[in-house]
Amino acid sequence: MELTTIWFLLVAVLFTGYFILEGFDFGVGMLLPVLGRDDRERRVLINTIGPVWDGNEVWLITAGGAMFAAFPEWYATLFSGFYLPLLLILLALIARGVAFEYRHKRPEASWKRRWDAAIFWGSLLPAILWGVAFANILRGVPLDADHEYVGGLLDLLHPYALLGGVTTAALFLTHGAVFIALKTTGEVRDRAGALAVKLGLVAAVAAVAFLTWTLNIRSSAAAVVLAIGAALALLGGLAAARARREGWAFTGTAVAIALAVATLFAALFPNVLPSTLDAAGTLTATNAASTPYTLKIMTWVAVVFTPIVLAYQGWTYWVFRKRIGVVNIPQH
């Protein structure tokens, strides 16, 4: 297997891990005003992701770094053409991170409401915009023969991209509700479990529509198999959520997100950013890649450090594996 293919797969794995882990973070943030009926319940929700949310974002940083080093042409074209959506994602993530840290600094209800709003919008915007971005990556964007983006913002907001945004938001909401049910006790757990099933039905309809449309744009045998697997995993997760088997439900939604992202990358390969104007402008895993020597050095670095990072993050989840409830939150 060529190094360009290996690094395309590694970038796909990094984004898959990011969407699985940050997906439930986004879901919890979006559900904060829905499931948190008072301050103690909202603190319960925030504490379910408190020890892990920042570590989950490392996957995005690593994915971006891998793109920059392995596929600099892809990175440059993507981050210049998608500048405004990616800037909005960055600002939303910053606002959400600050909110997590500052919400508890003062006891006033108005102070906490403002930061709760920042958590909500800082979760909703990325959840939608990531779907819009990846839909455009797969469908293609206007690139000239020099691989320069020559479109505008409205070129990124077509119906397929908007459906992609709705799909990722619905999937992350479902994933987050299942995660809350898995990590909490009492009434919060009951409400989250019931809501997960309802949200999951919406997510299933949106995901089937989006993946079907995707396979009509670009497809491969592997992409078809992965899309079917994603649908089955989501249905299995919803069945488990209905039976209050939260562990299996979370596994189902996580696998569904993983296979859905894998579907997009499988349908995209060997391209990394197709051009809708001229085939000569299409970026592929070959013409967008770094030199073989760079890829070789990066491969050895990844082999050494990736297991260490995975082991550390796995240990973090193991340490904070227990459920939390209102009884664990002191009154102020």
Side-chain angles (χ1 to χ4, degrees):
M1 184 181 295
E2 295 182 355
L3 288 177
T4 53
T5 303
I6 291 174
W7 276 94
F8 179 88
L9 292 174
L10 183 56
V11 170
V13 168
L14 290 170
F15 273 110
T16 299
Y18 172 69
F19 287 133
I20 292 173
L21 299 176
E22 192 77 331
F24 66 73
D25 283 353
F26 290 149
V28 172
M30 289 185 285
L31 292 172
L32 186 64
V34 178
L35 293 176
R37 295 183 176 178
D38 57 37
D39 182 61
R40 292 178 74 193
E41 288 189 351
R42 287 189 285 274
R43 288 164 64 192
V44 167
L45 298 179
I46 293 172
N47 285 348
T48 62
I49 59 174
V52 298
W53 69 267
D54 49 355
N56 293 341
E57 290 186 352
V58 171
W59 288 76
L60 174 61
I61 297 170
T62 307
M67 287 179 63
F68 174 77
F71 302 103
E73 191 79 25
W74 184 15
Y75 178 93
T77 302
L78 183 66
F79 278 71
S80 60
F82 291 32
Y83 179 82
L84 183 56
L86 294 178
L87 176 62
L88 290 175
I89 289 174
L90 178 61
L91 292 176
L93 293 178
I94 292 173
R96 190 182 67 134
V98 172
F100 285 141
E101 298 297 331
Y102 276 79
R103 184 187 187 276
H104 67 282
K105 297 295 185 181
R106 290 171 59 178
E108 294 89 349
S110 59
W111 171 269
K112 293 181 178 180
R113 279 197 301 270
R114 285 193 289 269
W115 291 118
D116 288 345
I119 292 172
F120 172 78
W121 290 108
S123 300
L124 177 63
L125 286 177
I128 294 174
L129 291 175
W130 277 124
V132 172
F134 269 82
N136 277 287
I137 290 173
L138 188 129
R139 177 180 177 268
V141 294
L143 302 178
D144 62 19
D146 295 323
H147 310 306
E148 297 289 340
Y149 181 76
V150 293
L153 177 62
L154 293 181
D155 292 308
L156 303 177
L157 300 178
H158 45 82
Y160 173 66
L162 297 178
L163 177 59
V166 170
T167 301
T168 50
L171 284 173
F172 294 162
L173 277 166
T174 304
H175 197 39
V178 170
F179 180 77
I180 293 170
L182 176 66
K183 292 290 291 181
T184 59
T185 61
E187 293 184 7
V188 175
R189 175 190 179 188
D190 295 337
R191 293 199 299 268
L195 184 59
V197 176
K198 297 175 183 177
L199 290 171
L201 295 176
V202 176
V205 172
V208 168
F210 177 67
L211 291 178
T212 300
W213 197 340
T214 297
L215 296 176
N216 283 328
I217 295 174
R218 303 185 193 281
S219 184
S220 65
V224 172
V225 172
L226 290 168
I228 294 173
L232 293 176
L234 182 57
L235 293 176
L238 296 181
R242 185 179 178 84
R244 293 177 61 90
R245 301 290 299 275
E246 289 96 350
W248 285 109
F250 183 76
T251 300
T253 55
V255 171
I257 292 173
L259 294 180
V261 177
T263 299
L264 300 182
F265 278 96
L268 181 64
F269 188 77
N271 299 326
V272 294
L273 191 60
S275 173
T276 57
L277 297 180
D278 185 357
T282 293
L283 287 169
T284 68
T286 301
N287 66 18
S290 294
T291 63
Y293 181 75
T294 299
L295 295 178
K296 184 177 180 180
I297 296 298
M298 289 174 56
T299 301
W300 282 110
V301 172
V303 167
V304 173
F305 288 101
T306 300
I308 297 174
V309 174
L310 291 176
Y312 171 76
Q313 193 158 31
W315 174 79
T316 303
Y317 276 93
W318 175 256
V319 170
F320 296 101
R321 66 189 181 278
K322 292 185 178 180
R323 294 178 183 268
I324 185 173
V326 175
V327 295
N328 304 112
I329 304 296
Q331 290 185 336
H332 285 173

